[in-house]
Amino acid sequence: NFTNRTAVTPLTFQTNVLTELKKWRLSLIEHYKLQMREEKEKQTAHVRQLTNEMENLKELLHTYEISVGRKDEVVITNLAQALERQKERTELMRKFMLWRIQHVNAKQEEYANRIADKQYRTALLKKVWAAWRSLSEEKWKEKVAKACQLRAEDVCVQLTNDYEAKIAELTAALEQTKAEILQLHSEREHYEDTMKKAFMRGVCALNLEAMTMFQSK
């Protein structure tokens, strides 16, 4: 455009420069518009991609929430079933212990009744011997009385010893049964405490797993 500079007037030169500047300005404007359009399209595509990722993350979060809820329900159900089984077992043990105590008490009462019957028969024999002794001669009566008295005393001493030994045996059995009942109560409390701790550990583990999963995402 400027090959023949000597023939170009200042006005023409100024006009040409202004025209070139306008062309250059328009070219720059078009270039910037094109860049702005491309950047806007890239931004729109990026926003669309982020929106899709957010939707996917929402679906994944919902899926994880459902999964965690199901895990909590399963853990609670298992713990409830275990507690119910332990409760039934404890109830059976309690009934068994009550039956043993009743059985021991029944045996003790039966033995006491037998001892009472023996003592009653012994007293009755003493009365019979006394009546029979009154009909005998004086000397013979004294001999028989002494013999019967010694025999009755021996029988009473033997019955008393047997009765005391049996009472001691039944008392020891009763104490042992009471100790077993106390031990069963202690085991039940320990088991319930263990189940509570296991339940709390399971809930804490699930919470930690959920927090870790959310933080990683």
Side-chain angles (χ1 to χ4, degrees), residues 186-209:
S186 177
E187 291 178 355
R188 177 186 176 184
E189 293 176 356
H190 178 68
Y191 183 81
E192 291 178 350
D193 187 60
T194 302
M195 293 301 294
K196 289 178 181 178
K197 290 180 179 179
F199 177 76
M200 293 302 297
R201 285 197 298 269
V203 174
C204 290
L206 289 174
N207 290 333
L208 288 175
E209 182 180 356

Side-chain angles (χ1 to χ4, degrees), residues 142-163:
E142 291 178 358
K143 292 180 180 180
V144 173
K146 290 180 180 180
C148 290
Q149 184 177 0
L150 292 174
R151 179 61 179 170
E153 289 176 356
D154 292 336
V155 172
C156 289
V157 170
Q158 184 65 33
L159 290 175
T160 301
N161 293 333
D162 294 340
Y163 181 72

Side-chain angles (χ1 to χ4, degrees), residues 5-216:
R5 294 185 179 180
T6 57
V8 177
T9 63
L11 181 60
T12 304
F13 177 75
Q14 185 179 3
T15 302
N16 293 333
V17 170
L18 291 175
T19 302
E20 291 295 330
L21 288 174
K22 288 180 181 180
K23 290 181 180 180
W24 181 66
R25 180 173 173 272
L26 291 175
S27 177
L28 287 176
I29 291 172
E30 291 296 328
H31 178 70
Y32 286 136
K33 284 183 178 180
L34 180 61
Q35 286 185 347
M36 290 293 293
R37 190 181 305 111
E38 291 177 354
E39 290 295 329
K40 187 175 181 179
E41 290 177 356
K42 290 181 181 180
Q43 184 179 4
T44 303
H46 185 64
V47 170
R48 189 181 300 109
Q49 182 180 0
L50 291 177
T51 303
N52 293 332
E53 290 180 357
M54 287 181 62
E55 293 297 328
N56 294 331
L57 288 175
K58 287 181 180 179
E59 293 180 358
L60 182 61
L61 178 60
H62 182 65
T63 303
Y64 283 151
E65 289 177 351
I66 295 174
S67 177
V68 170
R70 290 178 179 175
K71 287 182 180 179
D72 289 340
E73 291 177 358
V74 171
V75 171
I76 292 172
T77 302
N78 293 335
L79 288 175
Q81 291 177 355
L83 288 174
E84 187 65 26
R85 288 194 297 270
Q86 179 63 18
K87 183 179 179 182
E88 292 177 356
R89 181 174 176 273
T90 305
E91 183 66 20
L92 290 175
M93 293 298 295
R94 186 183 68 82
K95 291 181 179 180
F96 178 69
M97 288 296 104
L98 290 176
W99 175 81
R100 287 189 61 181
I101 292 173
Q102 292 176 357
H103 185 65
V104 170
N105 291 334
K107 283 188 175 181
Q108 187 175 3
E109 185 178 358
E110 182 181 357
Y111 184 77
N113 291 331
R114 287 202 303 268
I115 295 299
D117 290 339
K118 288 183 180 179
Q119 290 181 349
Y120 174 75
R121 287 196 298 269
T122 301
L124 186 60
L125 287 174
K126 286 181 179 180
K127 291 181 179 180
V128 171
W129 279 107
W132 179 80
R133 193 169 54 241
S134 63
L135 298 176
S136 301
E137 295 179 353
E138 189 66 21
K139 293 181 180 179
W140 185 80
K141 183 172 63 177
E142 291 178 358
K143 292 180 180 180
V144 173
K146 290 180 180 180
C148 290
Q149 184 177 0
L150 292 174
R151 179 61 179 170
E153 289 176 356
D154 292 336
V155 172
C156 289
V157 170
Q158 184 65 33
L159 290 175
T160 301
N161 293 333
D162 294 340
Y163 181 72
E164 290 177 353
K166 192 64 178 178
I167 287 177
E169 181 182 355
L170 293 175
T171 302
L174 183 60
E175 292 298 328
Q176 183 179 1
T177 303
K178 290 180 179 179
E180 292 177 356
I181 292 175
L182 291 176
Q183 184 179 0
L184 287 173
H185 284 298
S186 177
E187 291 178 355
R188 177 186 176 184
E189 293 176 356
H190 178 68
Y191 183 81
E192 291 178 350
D193 187 60
T194 302
M195 293 301 294
K196 289 178 181 178
K197 290 180 179 179
F199 177 76
M200 293 302 297
R201 285 197 298 269
V203 174
C204 290
L206 289 174
N207 290 333
L208 288 175
E209 182 180 356
M211 289 178 63
T212 303
M213 181 172 56
F214 292 151
Q215 290 175 359
S216 65

